[in-house]
Amino acid sequence: MTSTPPKALHPDTLAVRAAVPRSSYGENSEALYLTSGFVQPDADTSARRFAGEEDGYTYGRTSNPTVTSLEMRLAAMEGTEACMATSSGMSAVMLMCFALLKSGDHVIISQSMFGSTLKLIGSEFARFGVQTSIVPQTDLDAWRRAVTPQTRLLFAETPTNPLTEVCDIAALADIAHSAGAWLAVDNCFASPALQRPVEYGADIIMHSGTKFLDGQGRVMAGALCAPQTMVTEKFLPVIKNAGMVLSPFNAWVVLKGLETLGIRIQAQSAQALALAQWLETHPAVARVHYPGLPSHPQHALAMRQMSGVGGAVLSFEVKSDSPEQGRVRAFQVLDHLEVMSLCTNLGDTKTLLAHPASTSHGKLSETQRQAAGIGQGLIRVAVGLEHLHDIRTDLERGLSLIA
Ligand SMILES: *Cc1c(COP(=O)(O)O)cnc(C)c1O
C-alpha cells in the first residue's frame, strides 16, 4: 500500500520525511507497528477492506504501516509512483518474475548479473517455461539481437558485482520499449542517492535493502519500485498469496537507514575513489575496476548516469604469473587484515572484503571464470567509513609482501 508523496520536495528531504502520518501520540521518529493483525472497527468496514473497496490494514501479509512508510520513502527517492517492499533482494526478483511472466515468455539478462538472479531466472524459472537469453553486459547489439516476439522483460544491473561494469540504462530502455517489454534495473550498487533509473526510462527498480539502504549490515530487505498500477494490479495480488513480505521491524531499520543514505554513499564513494587511485599506482596491483577512474571502460557513461560519483564498491587484481599464484597472493592480502572484515556482504559502514573466485563465483569452472573476468587474484572491496589511512594500512600489510 502506498500513496504518492508530495512531488514538490527534493528527494533528500523525502529521504528523511516521507512516511505515513504520525499516530495520535505525535511521535517524531516513525512508529514501529510490530503487529501481525489489525483490529477492524466493524464488520462492514472489514468486509469492504477485504474486498479491496476501502483502504485500511487487515493482516501483515498484505500490508503494515511501518512497511508502507518504507515504501513511500523509497518510491519518493527513486522517483516512482509506488513501491512494494519484500523480505530480501532475491524475493523482490522472485515477486517481479512471478507477477509479470508466464510460461512461454522470454527474458533478457546480462551475464554479469548477481549470481542468484542468474540462477533464479535462468534455471528455476526455466522449469516453468520461461526462456532466458544471457548477454554480455555492455554489448547493446547483443541485447538487441536477443529480442524475440515473446520478450517481456529486460533486466540489468549497473554497476555490476564485482567488476563494476556499467550499462547504458537509456539505451536498454529504448530496446525494451520498442520490443513492447519492460526494463527492470537492479539499483543496489548505486542506490537512488547516485542513480535514478526511471529518469533514463527504466520501468521497475529492484533493490536489495540489505546493502546500502540499511547501510549498517543489520537486516535483510528488498523492494520493487514501479508505477502504481503495476504495484496494485500485479505485485500486490501475488505478495498477498505468496507471502514474501518484509517484517515491520526490518522495514523500520531500513526506513531509518534511508535517512542517512545520501551522506553515507557520498562519503564512502569519496573514500573508494581515493583508495582506487592509490591501488592503481601500487606496484603489487595489476588492475583496478572502479567506475570513478578514467581507466574504467565506461567511465564517461558512469559519470553521466551516476551523478558524477563512482560508488562505494571497487575490485582489484593482485599481480601474479598464474591463477594459482594469484589465489595465494589474494588470500595473503585477506589473511593479513586486522581492521577490515572478510565478509561477502556490501554496503556497510564497515569496509568488507571478499574473494569472488572462491565465494560468489566459486561454482564456475576456471574457464567460465576467466570468461567472466573473475581472476583468482581479484579482491572486492566494499568501502566503509573507517579512516582512509587505516584502510590503506590494513591492505598494505598483505600487499607489501607481494611487491
Ligand atoms: C545482494 C544483492 C542481491 C540480493 O539481495 P539479498 O537481499 O541478499 O537477497 C541482488 N542484487 C545485487 C546486486 C546484490 O548485491
Side-chain angles (χ1 to χ4, degrees), residues 194-401:
L194 300 184
Q195 171 175 283
R196 305 217 298 166
V198 275
E199 290 173 359
Y200 301 98
D203 304 288
I204 305 153
I205 319 306
M206 178 247 137
H207 272 290
S208 166
T210 318
K211 313 295 169 56
F212 290 100
L213 307 188
D214 167 12
Q216 287 151 86
R218 298 166 293 192
V219 298
M220 305 288 299
L224 296 171
C225 298
Q228 184 74 58
T229 50
M230 187 182 284
V231 169
T232 317
E233 291 166 20
K234 305 268 189 198
F235 299 156
L236 185 60
V238 172
I239 202 168
K240 253 179 174 168
N241 295 319
M244 60 288 259
V245 287
L246 182 60
S247 88
F249 181 81
N250 290 4
W252 183 81
V253 171
V254 178
L255 179 73
K256 302 308 283 180
L258 289 181
E259 295 179 7
T260 55
L261 175 67
I263 56 167
R264 277 188 283 108
I265 205 150
Q266 289 291 345
Q268 290 172 228
S269 298
Q271 304 234 84
L273 175 61
L275 187 67
Q277 287 165 338
W278 175 73
L279 285 168
E280 207 169 37
T281 61
H282 197 290
V285 173
R287 189 154 174 214
V288 183
H289 305 272
Y290 182 65
L293 290 177
S295 59
H296 188 282
Q298 298 96 37
H299 175 66
L301 168 64
M303 291 300 97
R304 213 165 56 235
Q305 212 166 249
M306 298 170 65
S307 321
V309 179
V313 183
L314 61 90
S315 59
F316 68 96
E317 184 94 29
V318 295
K319 273 190 188 150
S320 68
D321 298 326
S322 66
E324 295 72 28
Q325 190 185 44
R327 186 178 174 103
V328 168
R329 289 181 166 183
F331 279 23
Q332 208 166 32
V333 173
L334 296 170
D335 289 339
H336 279 83
L337 299 175
E338 291 177 10
V339 178
M340 301 189 289
S341 315
L342 179 59
C343 178
T344 46
N345 197 10
L346 63 95
D348 198 321
T349 46
K350 294 181 169 66
T351 300
L352 310 180
L353 288 91
H355 182 248
S358 63
T359 57
S360 53
H361 297 72
K363 293 219 167 65
L364 304 181
S365 70
E366 194 55 41
T367 322
Q368 286 173 317
R369 239 194 318 272
Q370 301 272 338
I374 314 291
Q376 289 289 348
L378 189 74
I379 293 174
R380 185 186 76 189
V381 191
V383 182
L385 287 176
E386 301 93 338
H387 196 282
L388 185 61
H389 176 264
D390 294 330
I391 295 176
R392 278 199 300 242
T393 306
D394 215 25
L395 277 174
E396 183 62 13
R397 250 185 284 278
L399 285 173
S400 62
L401 303 173

Side-chain angles (χ1 to χ4, degrees), residues 88-91 114 117 157 186 188-189 206 208-211 220-221 346:
S88 68
M90 288 322 300
S91 65
F114 190 68
T117 304
E157 180 185 317
D186 179 334
C188 182
F189 267 50
M206 178 247 137
S208 166
T210 318
K211 313 295 169 56
M220 305 288 299
L346 63 95

